[in-house]
Amino acid sequence: LPELPSERRARYEALSIKSDDIELYVKERIFGDFFDLVVQGYDPARILLASNYIGNDLVKIVRDMQKRDTVLIDTMPISTEYFRQLIDLIAEKKISSRSAKDLLALCISENAAPATLAEERGMFSSNDPELLSSVIDTIISENPSVVAEIKAGKISAMEFLVGRSMKALKGAGEPVQLRAEIGKKLGL
Protein backbone atom coordinates (compact mmCIF):
# COMPACT_ATOMS: atom_id res chain seq x y z
CA LEU A 1 0.00 0.00 0.00
CA PRO A 2 1.58 3.31 -1.03
CA GLU A 3 2.21 5.99 1.56
CA LEU A 4 -0.70 8.41 1.88
CA PRO A 5 -0.02 12.15 1.41
CA SER A 6 -0.91 12.82 5.07
CA GLU A 7 1.57 10.16 6.20
CA ARG A 8 4.27 11.56 3.94
CA ARG A 9 3.60 15.09 5.22
CA ALA A 10 3.85 13.93 8.84
CA ARG A 11 7.11 12.09 8.11
CA TYR A 12 8.65 15.24 6.60
CA GLU A 13 7.38 17.42 9.45
CA ALA A 14 9.13 15.07 11.89
CA LEU A 15 12.37 15.84 10.01
CA SER A 16 11.80 19.62 10.49
CA ILE A 17 11.61 20.21 6.74
CA LYS A 18 10.34 23.68 5.71
CA SER A 19 6.62 23.69 4.98
CA ASP A 20 7.12 24.85 1.37
CA ASP A 21 9.45 21.92 0.74
CA ILE A 22 7.02 19.52 2.40
CA GLU A 23 4.25 20.68 0.07
CA LEU A 24 6.55 20.24 -2.92
CA TYR A 25 7.51 16.69 -1.87
CA VAL A 26 3.90 15.68 -1.16
CA LYS A 27 2.35 17.21 -4.29
CA GLU A 28 5.12 16.25 -6.70
CA ARG A 29 6.24 12.72 -5.95
CA ILE A 30 9.24 13.02 -8.24
CA PHE A 31 10.79 15.52 -5.81
CA GLY A 32 9.64 13.66 -2.70
CA ASP A 33 10.94 10.32 -3.94
CA PHE A 34 14.25 11.92 -4.95
CA PHE A 35 14.55 13.59 -1.54
CA ASP A 36 13.86 10.29 0.23
CA LEU A 37 16.62 8.53 -1.71
CA VAL A 38 19.13 11.35 -1.24
CA VAL A 39 18.78 11.65 2.54
CA GLN A 40 18.98 7.97 3.45
CA GLY A 41 21.48 7.67 6.29
CA TYR A 42 22.00 11.44 6.62
CA ASP A 43 22.13 13.27 9.94
CA PRO A 44 19.53 16.01 10.58
CA ALA A 45 21.81 18.83 9.41
CA ARG A 46 22.51 17.16 6.05
CA ILE A 47 18.83 16.31 5.63
CA LEU A 48 17.94 20.00 5.95
CA LEU A 49 20.82 21.00 3.66
CA ALA A 50 19.71 18.51 1.00
CA SER A 51 16.11 19.70 1.30
CA ASN A 52 17.23 23.29 0.88
CA TYR A 53 19.13 22.53 -2.34
CA ILE A 54 16.33 20.35 -3.73
CA GLY A 55 13.54 22.79 -2.80
CA ASN A 56 15.35 25.90 -4.06
CA ASP A 57 18.02 25.11 -6.62
CA LEU A 58 17.11 21.76 -8.16
CA VAL A 59 13.43 22.64 -8.48
CA LYS A 60 14.37 25.87 -10.29
CA ILE A 61 16.56 23.97 -12.76
CA VAL A 62 13.82 21.41 -13.38
CA ARG A 63 11.18 24.14 -13.88
CA ASP A 64 13.49 25.96 -16.32
CA MET A 65 14.03 22.72 -18.25
CA GLN A 66 10.28 22.11 -18.40
CA LYS A 67 9.63 25.62 -19.73
CA ARG A 68 12.41 25.39 -22.28
CA ASP A 69 11.59 21.90 -23.51
CA THR A 70 7.82 22.15 -22.88
CA VAL A 71 7.74 18.59 -21.50
CA LEU A 72 7.14 17.26 -18.03
CA ILE A 73 10.22 15.66 -16.56
CA ASP A 74 9.61 12.20 -15.12
CA THR A 75 13.15 11.59 -13.85
CA MET A 76 15.55 13.90 -12.08
CA PRO A 77 18.26 15.40 -14.30
CA ILE A 78 20.92 14.40 -11.71
CA SER A 79 21.50 11.04 -10.06
CA THR A 80 20.98 10.64 -6.33
CA GLU A 81 24.65 9.60 -6.12
CA TYR A 82 25.90 12.87 -7.66
CA PHE A 83 23.45 14.93 -5.62
CA ARG A 84 24.61 13.25 -2.40
CA GLN A 85 28.22 13.93 -3.39
CA LEU A 86 27.33 17.60 -3.89
CA ILE A 87 25.62 17.81 -0.48
CA ASP A 88 28.63 16.13 1.15
CA LEU A 89 31.02 18.66 -0.44
CA ILE A 90 28.89 21.52 0.92
CA ALA A 91 28.49 19.99 4.39
CA GLU A 92 32.24 19.36 4.62
CA LYS A 93 32.85 22.99 3.56
CA LYS A 94 34.90 21.85 0.58
CA ILE A 95 32.88 24.16 -1.69
CA SER A 96 31.10 27.43 -0.99
CA SER A 97 27.34 27.80 -1.26
CA ARG A 98 27.88 29.96 -4.36
CA SER A 99 30.05 27.29 -5.97
CA ALA A 100 27.47 24.65 -5.05
CA LYS A 101 24.77 26.34 -7.13
CA ASP A 102 27.09 26.53 -10.13
CA LEU A 103 28.32 23.00 -9.57
CA LEU A 104 24.76 21.63 -9.46
CA ALA A 105 24.06 23.13 -12.88
CA LEU A 106 27.34 21.75 -14.23
CA CYS A 107 26.65 18.26 -12.88
CA ILE A 108 23.35 18.28 -14.70
CA SER A 109 24.61 19.71 -17.99
CA GLU A 110 27.73 17.52 -18.13
CA ASN A 111 26.44 14.45 -16.25
CA ALA A 112 29.68 14.30 -14.29
CA ALA A 113 30.68 13.82 -10.66
CA PRO A 114 30.71 16.99 -8.55
CA ALA A 115 34.23 16.43 -7.16
CA THR A 116 35.64 15.91 -10.65
CA LEU A 117 34.02 19.08 -11.97
CA ALA A 118 35.02 21.10 -8.89
CA GLU A 119 38.63 19.98 -9.30
CA GLU A 120 38.71 20.72 -13.04
CA ARG A 121 37.27 24.21 -12.53
CA GLY A 122 39.07 25.18 -9.35
CA MET A 123 35.85 25.39 -7.32
CA PHE A 124 37.10 23.86 -4.09
CA SER A 125 37.11 26.29 -1.19
CA SER A 126 40.44 27.85 -0.53
CA ASN A 127 41.41 27.42 3.08
CA ASP A 128 44.95 28.60 2.45
CA PRO A 129 45.35 31.48 4.95
CA GLU A 130 48.21 33.06 2.99
CA LEU A 131 46.20 33.11 -0.25
CA LEU A 132 43.13 34.54 1.48
CA SER A 133 45.22 37.17 3.24
CA SER A 134 46.95 38.17 0.01
CA VAL A 135 43.68 38.42 -1.94
CA ILE A 136 42.01 40.45 0.83
CA ASP A 137 45.01 42.80 1.07
CA THR A 138 44.81 43.41 -2.68
CA ILE A 139 41.03 44.00 -2.61
CA ILE A 140 41.37 46.41 0.34
CA SER A 141 44.16 48.38 -1.34
CA GLU A 142 42.21 48.61 -4.62
CA ASN A 143 39.06 49.94 -2.91
CA PRO A 144 40.01 52.75 -0.50
CA SER A 145 36.66 54.54 -0.81
CA VAL A 146 34.76 51.40 0.20
CA VAL A 147 37.15 50.88 3.12
CA ALA A 148 36.49 54.48 4.20
CA GLU A 149 32.71 53.85 4.07
CA ILE A 150 33.09 50.74 6.23
CA LYS A 151 35.26 52.55 8.76
CA ALA A 152 32.70 55.38 8.82
CA GLY A 153 30.10 52.87 9.99
CA LYS A 154 28.55 51.59 6.75
CA ILE A 155 29.20 47.94 7.52
CA SER A 156 27.01 46.81 4.61
CA ALA A 157 29.72 48.11 2.26
CA MET A 158 31.79 45.13 3.40
CA GLU A 159 29.68 42.95 1.12
CA PHE A 160 31.29 44.70 -1.84
CA LEU A 161 34.73 43.64 -0.61
CA VAL A 162 33.48 40.11 0.08
CA GLY A 163 32.10 39.93 -3.45
CA ARG A 164 35.36 41.18 -4.96
CA SER A 165 37.28 38.65 -2.91
CA MET A 166 34.96 35.84 -4.05
CA LYS A 167 35.48 36.94 -7.65
CA ALA A 168 39.26 36.99 -7.23
CA LEU A 169 39.11 33.52 -5.69
CA LYS A 170 36.81 32.33 -8.51
CA GLY A 171 34.09 31.44 -6.02
CA ALA A 172 36.45 29.29 -3.98
CA GLY A 173 36.21 31.45 -0.85
CA GLU A 174 33.74 31.02 1.96
CA PRO A 175 31.85 34.33 2.45
CA VAL A 176 31.65 33.97 6.25
CA GLN A 177 35.39 33.42 6.49
CA LEU A 178 36.11 36.30 4.09
CA ARG A 179 33.87 38.67 6.10
CA ALA A 180 35.71 37.75 9.28
CA GLU A 181 39.14 38.21 7.71
CA ILE A 182 38.21 41.54 6.12
CA GLY A 183 36.78 42.72 9.44
CA LYS A 184 39.95 41.70 11.23
CA LYS A 185 42.17 43.51 8.70
CA LEU A 186 40.03 46.65 9.01
CA GLY A 187 40.08 46.50 12.79
CA LEU A 188 36.34 45.88 13.18
Side-chain angles (χ1 to χ4, degrees), residues 126 128-143 161-173 178 181-182 185:
S126 177
D128 177 357
E130 289 179 23
L131 175 63
L132 290 178
S133 182
S134 171
V135 166
I136 291 169
D137 287 342
T138 301
I139 298 302
I140 288 172
S141 68
E142 290 175 350
N143 296 283
L161 298 180
V162 171
R164 291 292 179 179
S165 299
M166 290 287 292
K167 185 176 180 181
L169 292 165
K170 298 184 177 115
L178 290 169
E181 289 298 315
I182 292 167
K185 287 187 179 283

Side-chain angles (χ1 to χ4, degrees), residues 111-177:
N111 192 25
T116 303
L117 292 170
E119 182 69 38
E120 288 172 355
R121 290 179 169 73
M123 298 172 92
F124 282 116
S125 290
S126 177
N127 295 323
D128 177 357
E130 289 179 23
L131 175 63
L132 290 178
S133 182
S134 171
V135 166
I136 291 169
D137 287 342
T138 301
I139 298 302
I140 288 172
S141 68
E142 290 175 350
N143 296 283
S145 62
V146 176
V147 170
E149 286 180 32
I150 294 168
K151 288 186 175 183
K154 187 176 178 188
I155 301 299
S156 62
M158 187 182 294
E159 294 307 309
F160 178 81
L161 298 180
V162 171
R164 291 292 179 179
S165 299
M166 290 287 292
K167 185 176 180 181
L169 292 165
K170 298 184 177 115
E174 193 58 51
V176 173
Q177 184 181 13

Side-chain angles (χ1 to χ4, degrees), residues 32-99:
D33 292 346
F34 185 77
F35 170 78
D36 290 342
L37 291 171
V38 165
V39 301
Q40 286 179 356
Y42 269 175
D43 61 55
R46 285 194 194 201
I47 289 171
L48 295 178
L49 183 64
S51 184
N52 182 48
Y53 276 87
I54 292 170
N56 293 314
D57 301 298
L58 184 58
V59 78
K60 182 182 182 320
I61 290 170
V62 168
R63 298 284 189 255
D64 290 347
M65 292 170 78
Q66 289 173 330
K67 282 182 189 170
R68 182 190 67 226
D69 300 337
T70 62
V71 295
L72 285 176
I73 292 177
D74 57 358
T75 58
M76 282 294 147
I78 185 172
S79 69
T80 54
E81 177 188 355
Y82 286 171
F83 197 85
R84 282 180 65 94
Q85 289 174 17
L86 178 70
I87 296 303
D88 292 342
L89 290 173
I90 301 163
E92 294 162 9
K93 299 192 181 327
K94 292 182 178 178
I95 59 172
S96 69
S97 57
R98 175 65 255 162
S99 291

